[in-house]
């Protein structure tokens, strides 16, 4: 089975990103990615958001998603990435909030009462944060760009051994069957 290179956290002009969906997808296609998740901020998206995200861009598989805020914890962000039947929830950029490992574990536990957190982002805008890449946090660790503009694309990625199927990719991530890479 092939390894598929992807990014799970990308913003467009539908929220606070600088590029249109087609523009950011073109960047990732040119970088040789196999899949990308568009995860605009839930409180900023416009009408027709879902219909404006294509299912594919050439050979690039596109996931629809959102970056949600969890208000009970001072608006901690987490990603919701949607397959055909599977959904993946990722605790996003703990470094941005300067969380300790204990605080990450507390917040993951709190959010998990309402939403099944299944992975943790160990990057902030593509920069690796080794503090969170620890067995003390009992979640698969993913890397992503959290790209908002062209210059932020292609810094960090995930490589999943899976068929080119949205649900299979998400199941592999939940099971921890992937690696992460950095530029």
């Amino acid at each position: 089975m092939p390894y598929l290179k992807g990014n799970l956290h990308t913003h467009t002009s539908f929220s606070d990103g600088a590029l249109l969906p087609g523009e950011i997808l073109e960047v990732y296609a040119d970088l040789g990615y196999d899949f990308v998740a568009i995860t605009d901020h839930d409180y900023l998206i416009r009408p027709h958001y879902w219909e404006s995200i294509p299912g594919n861009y050439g050979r690039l598989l596109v996931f629809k998603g959102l970056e949600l805020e969890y208000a009970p914890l001072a608006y901690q962000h987490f990603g919701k990435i949607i397959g055909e039947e599977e959904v993946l929830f990722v605790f996003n950029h703990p470094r941005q909030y300067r969380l300790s490992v204990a605080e990450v574990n507390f917040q993951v536990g709190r959010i998990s009462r309402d939403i099944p957190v299944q992975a943790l982002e160990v990057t902030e805008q593509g920069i690796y944060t080794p503090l969170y890449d620890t067995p003390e946090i009992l979640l698969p660790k993913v890397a992503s760009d959290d790209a908002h503009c062209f210059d932020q694309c292609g810094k960090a990625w995930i490589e999943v051994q899976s068929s080119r199927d949205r649900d299979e990719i998400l199941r592999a991530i939940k099971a921890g069957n992937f690696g992460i890479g950095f530029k």
Side-chain angles (χ1 to χ4, degrees):
M1 202 165 308
Y3 279 90
L4 304 175
K5 182 178 182 179
N7 184 29
L8 299 172
H9 189 173
T10 304
H11 297 276
T12 72
S13 59
F14 286 127
S15 66
D16 61 346
L19 303 173
L20 294 168
E23 293 172 322
I24 201 140
L25 294 174
E26 184 174 342
V27 171
Y28 281 101
D30 289 348
L31 290 170
Y33 280 62
D34 298 293
F35 64 92
V36 169
I38 293 180
T39 54
D40 282 304
H41 293 279
D42 61 337
Y43 64 92
L44 293 174
I45 62 170
R46 301 176 190 144
H48 309 294
Y49 172 71
W50 298 107
E51 298 84 13
S52 301
I53 301 172
N56 293 309
Y57 185 84
R59 64 175 285 285
L60 187 66
L61 190 61
V62 181
F63 285 89
K64 295 178 180 186
L66 288 170
E67 184 168 32
L68 303 165
E69 290 192 359
Y70 191 74
L73 291 175
Y75 302 100
Q76 170 62 52
H77 289 176
F78 64 94
K80 178 180 182 182
I81 300 150
I82 303 166
E84 305 304 324
E85 296 178 12
E86 294 287 328
V87 177
L88 174 69
F89 292 99
V90 180
F91 189 96
N92 286 349
H93 43 65
R95 180 175 173 231
Q96 180 176 333
Y97 304 105
R98 293 177 171 76
L99 299 177
S100 68
V101 169
E103 289 169 325
V104 168
N105 282 328
F106 172 81
Q107 289 196 9
V108 166
R110 175 60 184 94
I111 294 169
S112 293
R113 293 182 202 164
D114 302 317
I115 299 147
V117 179
Q118 296 143 326
L120 174 81
E121 192 176 67
V122 294
T123 48
E124 183 178 353
Q125 294 187 337
I127 299 170
Y128 178 59
T129 310
L131 171 67
Y132 305 112
D133 196 359
T134 174
E136 292 178 57
I137 301 172
L138 302 175
L139 292 170
K141 314 305 188 291
V142 300
S144 69
D145 288 335
D146 186 10
H148 290 77
C149 63
F150 174 80
D151 293 343
Q152 295 174 335
C153 298
K155 293 181 177 182
W157 57 87
I158 184 170
E159 294 178 355
V160 181
Q161 190 171 18
S162 172
S163 62
R164 292 183 62 81
D165 176 89
R166 284 179 188 83
D167 289 337
E168 289 298 320
I169 292 168
L170 295 182
R171 280 193 280 274
I173 294 168
K174 289 177 185 181
N177 296 331
F178 63 88
I180 57 178
F182 307 97
K183 187 173 183 181

